[in-house]
Amino acid sequence: MILLLIAIGVGAGVLSGIFGIGGGIVIVPALIYLAKMPPQQAAGTSLAALVLPLGAAVGAMAYYKAGHLQPRDALFIAVGMAAGAYFGAQIATHVDAAVLRKMFAALMVLMAIKLWVG
């Protein structure tokens, strides 16, 4: 499970480095479908993983108080994201902006379809 959580963090970090995204678009669906977390727990854990931006700390605290946060899991995701974001940023600086836009659009459509049909 730890490797899965780190992999989710790395994936979210790479995509965050490339597209500037992470939590709601990548981490939450990955936690729901790969780690088999309920949506509330996935959202709370995602927020905790993104806690360095202080605004997320407020939301994460609310999820924590409601029992919908896995702090240990969020820490492992954050470790993966740190590495992934670096590599994603390295990739993004060498990819054409129009290609990045299309890649992001494809990712959004894919996530929307997956969330729609389950």
Side-chain angles (χ1 to χ4, degrees), residues 36-97:
K36 307 297 185 207
M37 285 186 183
Q40 298 90 340
Q41 189 173 337
T45 303
S46 174
L47 281 176
L50 301 168
V51 81
L52 284 179
L54 191 55
V58 176
M61 185 54 70
Y63 278 103
Y64 179 77
K65 287 180 180 179
H68 297 298
L69 187 147
Q70 294 292 322
R72 182 177 152 271
D73 294 352
L75 178 63
F76 286 120
I77 292 168
V79 167
M81 282 183 66
Y86 173 79
F87 292 112
Q90 296 302 314
I91 293 167
T93 59
H94 296 92
V95 176
D96 181 70

Side-chain angles (χ1 to χ4, degrees), residues 3-32:
L3 290 178
L4 173 62
L5 296 170
I6 291 173
I8 290 170
V10 169
V14 168
L15 293 172
S16 179
I18 294 172
F19 301 118
I21 58 152
I25 295 172
V26 177
I27 296 173
V28 172
L31 290 175
I32 290 169

